[in-house]
Amino acid sequence: MSASVGARMNLKLRVWRQSGPDQPGGFMDVDAPDIPEDCSFLEMLDIVNERLVAEDVEPITFAHDCREGICGTCGVMINGRPHGPEAATATCQLHMRKFRDGDKIVIEPFRAASFPVVKDLMVDRRAFDRIIESGGYVSAPTGTAPDANETPIPKDVADFAMDAAACIGCGACVAACPNSAAQLFTAAKLGHLNVLPQGQPERLRRSEAMVETMESYFGSCTNHGECSAACPKEISLDFIAVMNRDYLKAKIKNRRLASQT
């Protein structure tokens, strides 16, 4: 049984420690006694770090920012699962009451060649930035903002775009995929632009550029579905199907244009 409400628990952590991207790493066993079950996973790491500092041990490095499940910075592997045991929950929103008194918890960084370890649990996710830079935006002339109702958008289109825009870019999809593929991330970033009227002029160019940039950094999708299962925002695999369709259209169009020159 889990501890009662407001109770405290004693845990044993096995944490990955690595001083730098080119340095060897290894696990360190850390006792974590007297942890409030109502604190978040990151707050638990804060408590552990305060104790390590008091013992003159270097604290565990981990990435975080908003701690509200929005920024996507906090992801780590917890007992072999991105973000831990709770579905649709980012690491920062995972509470210790999901664990039991006496549990042993293994904490690692996301494992993917495209996400090199910076230090301990922090990884470099700039490969995602390269994908966005290649086309994850809408080009528009400068000037005053148009009225909100100037461009009508059907509700089903708006809903589709909002579902795609829920992606926080945490990288759990890459960490969960046996191929370290980034199709779900890329498809979400394409999906929320490609269906809107403002995104139509660059739809095919955007699709081709972002998919090919993705392929240069990440593995290929083989439809395991682990990405969607691990996603804290439950991004659907349907977005990958839409992305593949748009990419195919872009390649066909470019081949036709090339044959006419």
Side-chain angles (χ1 to χ4, degrees):
M1 297 294 291
S2 62
S4 59
V5 174
R8 292 174 177 263
M9 57 180 68
N10 299 318
L11 305 167
K12 292 187 178 295
L13 309 181
R14 190 165 177 79
V15 185
W16 183 261
R17 304 302 306 267
Q18 186 172 338
S19 59
D22 299 320
Q23 302 299 316
F27 285 102
M28 180 180 76
D29 293 323
V30 181
D31 288 329
D34 200 33
I35 299 296
E37 69 161 10
D38 292 328
C39 73
S40 72
F41 199 86
L42 295 190
E43 289 170 337
M44 180 274 293
L45 290 177
D46 290 336
I47 294 170
V48 170
N49 274 343
E50 288 176 1
R51 294 171 180 172
L52 291 177
V53 170
E55 297 169 3
D56 200 27
V57 177
E58 185 174 3
I60 301 162
T61 298
F62 61 94
H64 63 93
D65 192 2
C66 74
R67 299 201 178 198
E68 295 179 351
I70 298 172
C71 70
T73 307
C74 65
V76 296
M77 299 292 288
I78 302 170
N79 289 340
R81 297 181 62 179
H83 294 296
E86 185 74 359
T89 304
T91 301
C92 61
Q93 294 185 306
L94 176 66
H95 284 83
M96 298 312 297
R97 55 179 171 268
K98 297 300 178 180
F99 300 91
R100 299 182 179 183
D101 184 40
D103 273 358
K104 295 181 180 179
I105 305 175
V106 180
I107 312 171
E108 307 171 72
F110 282 169
R111 303 291 191 180
S114 50
F115 290 163
V117 174
V118 176
K119 187 174 183 180
D120 294 343
L121 305 178
M122 179 184 289
V123 298
D124 182 349
R125 282 174 280 203
R126 284 181 291 180
F128 274 0
D129 296 337
R130 305 291 87 82
I131 296 173
I132 298 300
E133 289 167 0
S134 69
Y137 51 83
V138 172
S139 297
T142 58
T144 58
D147 292 336
N149 61 352
E150 184 174 319
T151 305
I153 301 174
K155 185 179 185 303
D156 59 336
V157 172
D159 288 346
F160 185 92
M162 288 298 292
D163 287 346
C167 171
I168 59 177
C170 66
C173 52
V174 175
C177 178
N179 304 328
S180 295
Q183 261 77 0
L184 193 65
F185 165 80
T186 308
K189 296 305 178 184
L190 280 168
H192 83 272
L193 295 176
N194 279 0
V195 298
L196 295 174
Q198 297 88 339
Q200 295 310 304
E202 298 172 296
R203 181 170 185 164
L204 297 185
R205 186 207 62 79
R206 177 188 302 113
S207 299
E208 182 178 23
M210 291 180 66
V211 169
E212 294 187 355
T213 301
M214 171 196 70
E215 292 285 2
S216 69
Y217 286 96
F218 297 91
S220 295
C221 176
T222 49
N223 294 316
H224 282 263
E226 296 289 339
C227 53
S228 184
C231 176
K233 299 303 177 182
E234 299 183 302
I235 303 297
S236 171
L237 292 174
D238 292 346
F239 290 105
I240 297 178
V242 175
M243 176 187 72
N244 290 341
R245 182 193 64 191
D246 281 353
Y247 178 71
L248 181 60
K249 286 182 178 179
K251 299 306 288 185
I252 292 173
K253 179 181 179 181
N254 285 344
R255 181 173 296 179
R256 287 174 177 170
L257 291 174
S259 66
Q260 294 171 2
T261 59

